[in-house]
């Protein structure tokens, strides 16, 4: 069985429609979408061990009861030492409990602290009429305030992906302004195409969110991923 099938089956068996970050990122990996190196810790010791293998790390809460990890005080960035990792691990558990009493904790994801890039958002949502609809935009205020996003119905071809990228108002930010190096557009095109393929292959995916992806002069990296399955009918 493919990894993606397996992960969806596990979630179904546990009556979950929400795939956690480590599950969503494993699916991205199967589709050749670059994600941060990661591992899952269920003890403080495991977190320290994983961190020592990765280097500077990020710790985040993994809980079926927490959709937005930072809202729950569940994201700790750029941890450099074992002590910082231990403190963050404990703080994540405490914050989760404070945020939602009795929140189930699957573990803590330990991942590489990715170098800053241009933040972009890639998503897919199932529209009742059109089916899987892909979304592209720049991260932060560009999406939330300015609604500067583009849409296409999946499946898409490379031409569509390129248009999705070039038609947003913020496109010049990706081509390099004020002496900044241009972003690797081909890498973004590749992610859009792979997401299109994934949601087409698995109609049970209702919603997919790569928010954010860091775009670089060479390549791109997805630092957060979330998939929501359709309710079982
Ligand atoms: P949420 O569930 O709240 O969306 P995220 O995983 O997106 O949590 O983390 C919140 C923010 O932290 C991101 O928007 C990004 O700016 C930053 N971040 C998350 N993971 C990483 C990482 N591995 N490396 C660098 N920055 C990260
Ligand atoms: Mg996010």
């Amino acid at each position: 069985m493919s990894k993606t099938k397996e992960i969806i089956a596990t979630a179904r068996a546990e009556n979950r429609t929400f795939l956690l970050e480590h599950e969503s990122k494993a699916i991205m990996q199967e589709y050749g979408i670059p994600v941060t190196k990661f591992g899952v810790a269920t003890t403080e010791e495991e977190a320290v061990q994983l961190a020592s293998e990765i280097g500077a790390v990020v710790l985040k809460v993994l809980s079926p009861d927490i959709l937005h990890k930072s809202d729950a005080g569940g994201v700790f960035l750029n941890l450099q030492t074992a002590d910082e990792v231990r403190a963050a691990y404990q703080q994540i558990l405490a914050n989760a409990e404070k945020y939602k009493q009795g929140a189930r904790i699957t573990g803590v994801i330990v991942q590489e602290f990715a170098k800053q890039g241009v933040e972009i958002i890639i998503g897919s949502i199932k529209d009742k009429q059109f089916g899987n609809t892909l979304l592209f935009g720049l991260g932060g205020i560009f999406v939330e305030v300015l609604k500067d996003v583009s849409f296409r119905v999946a499946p898409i071809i490379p031409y569509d992906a390129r248009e999705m990228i070039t038609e947003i108002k913020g496109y010049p930010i990706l081509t390099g302004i004020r002496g900044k190096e241009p972003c690797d557009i081909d890498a973004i095109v590749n992610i859009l195409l792979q997401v299109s393929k994934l949601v087409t292959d698995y109609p049970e995916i209702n919603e997919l969110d790569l928010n954010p992806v860091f775009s670089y002069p060479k390549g791109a990296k997805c630092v957060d991923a979330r998939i929501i399955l359709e309710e079982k009918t």
Side-chain angles (χ1 to χ4, degrees):
M1 209 196 298
S2 81
K3 188 97 194 149
T4 303
K5 260 205 181 109
E6 225 170 85
I7 290 168
I8 292 176
T10 302
R12 287 298 192 205
E14 294 172 3
N15 267 318
R16 282 189 288 132
T17 54
F18 166 33
L19 304 187
L20 301 174
E21 182 174 338
H22 65 295
E23 297 169 319
S24 305
K25 278 185 173 169
I27 291 174
M28 297 311 133
Q29 283 177 324
E30 189 163 79
Y31 275 79
I33 294 170
V35 300
T36 50
K37 266 188 231 115
F38 68 93
V40 175
T42 51
T43 65
E44 199 181 293
E45 280 320 309
E46 275 172 12
V48 170
Q49 179 56 37
L50 280 168
S52 76
E53 290 160 19
I54 296 174
V57 292
V58 172
L59 260 58
K60 302 184 209 171
V61 66
L62 291 172
S63 164
D65 300 314
I66 299 174
L67 201 57
H68 297 286
K69 299 173 293 283
S70 21
D71 290 355
V75 178
F76 286 78
L77 301 174
N78 197 8
L79 307 169
Q80 306 272 357
T81 67
D83 281 348
E84 284 174 3
V85 170
R86 286 178 197 284
Y89 189 91
Q90 292 307 331
Q91 200 60 55
I92 283 173
L93 299 188
N95 289 352
E97 180 60 25
K98 233 186 290 166
Y99 180 72
K100 215 176 236 177
Q101 214 181 4
R104 293 163 291 172
I105 305 294
T106 308
V108 167
I109 187 167
V110 180
Q111 63 190 240
E112 141 198 24
F113 177 62
K115 70 171 191 293
Q116 197 57 46
V118 175
E119 281 198 20
I120 61 175
I121 293 176
I122 289 172
S124 175
I125 179 111
K126 194 158 277 174
D127 181 89
K128 279 202 178 66
Q129 264 176 327
F130 298 112
N132 293 313
T133 308
L134 305 170
L135 169 150
F136 171 77
L138 296 173
I141 60 156
F142 291 98
V143 166
E144 281 154 31
V145 184
L146 304 173
K147 314 276 184 238
D148 183 19
V149 289
S150 56
F151 297 97
R152 285 295 181 286
V153 173
I156 56 166
I157 58 170
Y159 179 84
D160 303 318
R162 238 164 255 285
E163 263 191 356
M164 284 182 81
I165 299 166
T166 53
E167 76 186 26
I168 61 165
K169 290 193 199 72
Y171 176 59
I173 291 172
L174 294 170
T175 60
I177 40 167
R178 304 219 177 110
K180 285 223 169 96
E181 261 189 280
C183 290
D184 185 343
I185 302 294
D186 287 347
I188 305 174
V189 166
N190 178 57
I191 298 177
L192 282 166
L193 290 172
Q194 290 307 102
V195 166
S196 167
K197 180 164 176 11
L198 168 62
V199 296
T200 307
D201 288 350
Y202 290 91
E204 57 266 68
I205 295 178
N206 192 46
E207 207 180 312
L208 178 152
D209 246 310
L210 308 182
N211 182 6
V213 172
F214 287 172
S215 170
Y216 300 120
K218 252 208 184 100
K221 198 167 271 186
C222 166
V223 307
D224 184 24
R226 169 166 57 232
I227 289 174
I228 314 272
L229 303 175
E230 295 208 306
E231 296 292 336
K232 231 180 182 161
T233 46

